[in-house]
Amino acid sequence: MSSKNIRIISVITFLGIWEIAAFFIGSSSFPSISQISISLYEHTFNSDLLYNLGITLYRVFVCFFVVMLLGIVFGILMGVSKKIDDIFDFILILGLNIPALVTIVICYIWFGLTDFAAILAVILNKLPIVIVNVREGTKAIDRKYMQLAKVYKVSKKETFFKVFLPQIYPYIMASTRLCLSLIWKIVLVVELLGRSDGIGFKISMFFQFFDITSILAYSFAFVLVILLIEKLFLKPIDSYINKWK
């Protein structure tokens, strides 16, 4: 049996177990998949789900691209230079251990309940994770390939893009997936605490009315978008950059 078929069976089994469990529990606190699907349809075409989804995706992608760009640059610099690593190591440890909630609250207090504060809080919270992954990947590269490129007088530009970067691609892709999965969760928390739009804000509104069906409908909508991004963009990029192997 192919891995694709196994995945399909796994999804169908999960949905089936959920549906059966909802039937026997018979509570509005545990809606069935069919009820969630109906709610998702109604919110999509008769409500503002698409608008709020777009707002949240905008925040997610801004945070994601800034975090990945800065994370890769600083991760490489800290990986190749012990001096730079020593300078920023304490700040990195501090960033890794400060709770996301503290970062969010401080940014809202300092900069007000604005989009800038929300996005900055997410960036500050998730940037250290990417830096650490890329730094460790940089430190783990096989130096003999770099020495070989030097012996054959390969230009610094070609050495960087064709010898150095390919060795840390797995770390960058792992950071990409980890970063995306963590950022969208934190963005929802940021929206719940201090924004007036977005998926997180709507979930907080539904929570006030104990509308678990709508909460799950909005959550599933966002998860489906993230899965599509993984399928349509991240996997093809991963396959492309690993062709060198």
Side-chain angles (χ1 to χ4, degrees), residues 154-165:
V154 179
S155 68
K156 290 183 178 180
K157 181 179 179 181
E158 286 189 328
T159 300
F160 179 75
F161 285 103
K162 295 183 179 180
V163 180
F164 179 82
L165 273 185

Side-chain angles (χ1 to χ4, degrees), residues 135-148:
R135 181 187 66 176
E136 297 309 310
T138 302
K139 289 181 178 180
I141 65 171
D142 195 334
R143 300 290 175 179
K144 68 182 180 183
Y145 294 115
M146 304 294 291
Q147 294 169 357
L148 194 62

Side-chain angles (χ1 to χ4, degrees), residues 7 20 30 64 76 81-82 89 93 95-96 110 137 165 167 177 201 208 219 230 237:
R7 291 193 189 99
I20 294 170
F30 195 94
F64 173 76
I76 290 174
S81 172
K82 189 177 185 308
D89 188 59
I93 294 172
L96 285 169
W110 283 352
L165 273 185
Q167 294 190 69
R177 288 188 168 92
F201 167 75
Q208 295 178 32
S219 301
E230 166 72 21
I237 291 173

Side-chain angles (χ1 to χ4, degrees), residues 200-217:
F201 167 75
K202 291 299 293 185
I203 287 176
S204 71
M205 296 295 293
F206 294 136
F207 170 72
Q208 295 178 32
F209 295 100
F210 300 98
D211 187 356
I212 186 66
T213 305
S214 293
I215 290 174
L216 290 174

Side-chain angles (χ1 to χ4, degrees), residues 4-224:
K4 183 178 180 180
N5 290 335
I6 292 175
R7 291 193 189 99
I8 293 173
I9 293 173
S10 176
V11 172
I12 293 174
T13 302
F14 171 77
L15 296 177
I17 292 173
W18 184 305
E19 191 74 17
I20 294 170
F23 174 78
F24 283 105
I25 293 173
S27 170
S28 59
S29 297
F30 195 94
S32 65
I33 294 297
S34 55
Q35 290 173 323
I36 296 171
S37 300
I38 293 171
S39 178
L40 177 59
Y41 176 86
E42 291 176 347
H43 283 298
T44 302
F45 295 101
N46 301 318
S47 187
D48 54 359
L49 185 149
L50 294 179
Y51 168 76
N52 286 293
L53 182 62
I55 293 293
T56 299
L57 285 174
Y58 160 75
R59 290 172 182 145
V60 168
F61 287 126
V62 169
C63 295
F64 173 76
F65 284 117
V66 173
V67 167
M68 288 305 301
L69 178 62
L70 295 179
I72 290 171
V73 171
F74 278 97
I76 290 174
L77 289 175
M78 293 178 71
V80 299
S81 172
K82 189 177 185 308
K83 186 175 181 180
I84 296 176
D85 191 22
D86 291 338
I87 291 172
F88 291 102
D89 188 59
F90 172 74
I91 299 175
L92 191 61
I93 294 172
L94 192 65
L96 285 169
N97 289 282
I98 293 179
L101 183 60
V102 174
T103 306
I104 295 168
V105 170
I106 289 175
C107 284
Y108 275 147
I109 292 173
W110 283 352
F111 303 104
L113 299 177
T114 63
D115 252 12
F116 173 77
I119 290 172
L120 179 63
V122 179
I123 292 172
L124 291 176
N125 186 253
K126 295 308 166 198
L127 180 59
I129 296 174
V130 178
I131 292 177
V132 167
N133 283 344
V134 176
R135 181 187 66 176
E136 297 309 310
T138 302
K139 289 181 178 180
I141 65 171
D142 195 334
R143 300 290 175 179
K144 68 182 180 183
Y145 294 115
M146 304 294 291
Q147 294 169 357
L148 194 62
K150 188 175 182 180
V151 169
Y152 283 97
K153 297 181 179 179
V154 179
S155 68
K156 290 183 178 180
K157 181 179 179 181
E158 286 189 328
T159 300
F160 179 75
F161 285 103
K162 295 183 179 180
V163 180
F164 179 82
L165 273 185
Q167 294 190 69
I168 64 172
Y169 279 156
Y171 295 89
I172 292 176
M173 287 308 301
S175 298
T176 299
R177 288 188 168 92
L178 178 63
C179 181
L180 185 60
S181 66
L182 292 176
I183 279 179
W184 78 260
K185 296 180 181 73
I186 299 300
V187 166
L188 295 189
V189 176
V190 168
E191 291 175 343
L192 187 147
L193 290 175
R195 303 306 300 132
S196 58
D197 50 21
I199 299 294
F201 167 75
K202 291 299 293 185
I203 287 176
S204 71
M205 296 295 293
F206 294 136
F207 170 72
Q208 295 178 32
F209 295 100
F210 300 98
D211 187 356
I212 186 66
T213 305
S214 293
I215 290 174
L216 290 174
Y218 265 70
S219 301
F220 283 4
F222 200 81
V223 170
L224 286 173

